Amino acid sequence: MELVRNGTRDGLSLTFEDKGPGISDVEWALKDGYSTGGGLGLGLGGSKRLVSEFEIASKVGEGTRVTVVRWK
């Protein structure tokens, strides 16, 4: 978690990282309804809609890193 500033804007940057199995198809995983755990499949796509900036990097067999920024 980090407080960030861009000119006159203040925001919050959050990074989430795991060492899990990774995501083989990130574009597909961002679609509503996609779930590997039997949930509603709204997690990644819903998170992306709630923030100002969204970045995801994933490598199969190594894990996933998601960074989001929400500007005030």
Side-chain angles (χ1 to χ4, degrees):
M1 182 170 69
E2 177 183 8
L3 294 174
V4 291
R5 177 169 269 243
N6 182 356
T8 60
R9 294 189 313 172
D10 293 324
L12 181 64
S13 176
L14 302 169
T15 299
F16 306 90
E17 187 173 0
D18 70 34
K19 301 293 184 198
I23 301 170
S24 60
D25 188 340
V26 171
E27 292 298 319
W28 184 249
L30 288 168
K31 294 184 185 292
D32 287 344
Y34 176 84
S35 173
T36 59
L40 295 175
L42 299 173
L44 284 176
S47 297
K48 185 175 181 180
R49 286 188 295 275
L50 290 172
V51 298
S52 308
E53 299 174 21
F54 181 93
E55 181 181 316
I56 183 169
S58 188
K59 195 165 193 180
V60 174
E62 293 187 22
T64 303
R65 180 183 178 111
V66 177
T67 301
V68 297
V69 177
R70 177 68 171 151
W71 295 106
K72 189 173 180 184

